[in-house]
Amino acid sequence: FTPQFVFRTGYDGSSYGSRFRYFYFTSLNLNFRYQKVIWGLSNAGFHVGWQTKPLRIMLSSRFENGDFSGRSYIGNLSFRYVFKGKE
């Protein structure tokens, strides 16, 4: 079980030198793993995937407006591979 807090930061480009114009809390993710299967929930969607030591494939979703009505849906597919380094 791994909880994660997600924050969003950036700037709108209107002022020179101000890199962190805004910084706010976006979501709370609750992640679970059982053997090679990973899944979790957030305040805006869910995710499910498969993970080994070097490889992770995950499908995640986000429902806009915080509801699950399906009016506005965003889906993401992510891949991660860790190359073995010198020891």
Side-chain angles (χ1 to χ4, degrees):
F1 171 71
T2 308
Q4 296 176 342
F5 297 95
V6 180
F7 294 90
R8 187 174 194 171
T9 186
Y11 73 107
D12 58 7
S14 63
S15 60
Y16 180 75
S18 177
R19 294 288 181 202
F20 295 101
R21 183 129 180 129
Y22 57 85
F23 183 83
Y24 59 91
F25 175 74
T26 303
S27 67
L28 169 65
N29 298 332
L30 302 175
N31 303 305
F32 302 91
R33 179 176 173 188
Y34 178 73
Q35 295 181 354
K36 295 181 181 181
V37 178
I38 53 176
W39 71 95
L41 296 169
S42 72
N43 59 330
F46 64 92
H47 53 272
V48 63
W50 180 73
Q51 178 175 330
T52 63
K53 191 165 184 130
L55 178 69
R56 177 174 61 192
I57 301 171
M58 187 169 63
L59 174 65
S60 60
S61 68
R62 179 170 175 82
F63 295 96
E64 293 298 316
N65 303 324
D67 63 13
F68 294 91
S69 64
R71 286 179 271 171
S72 182
Y73 172 79
I74 299 170
N76 299 295
L77 183 61
S78 64
F79 299 94
R80 180 194 75 176
Y81 184 80
V82 178
F83 294 96
K84 186 175 182 180
K86 293 181 181 181
E87 294 183 12

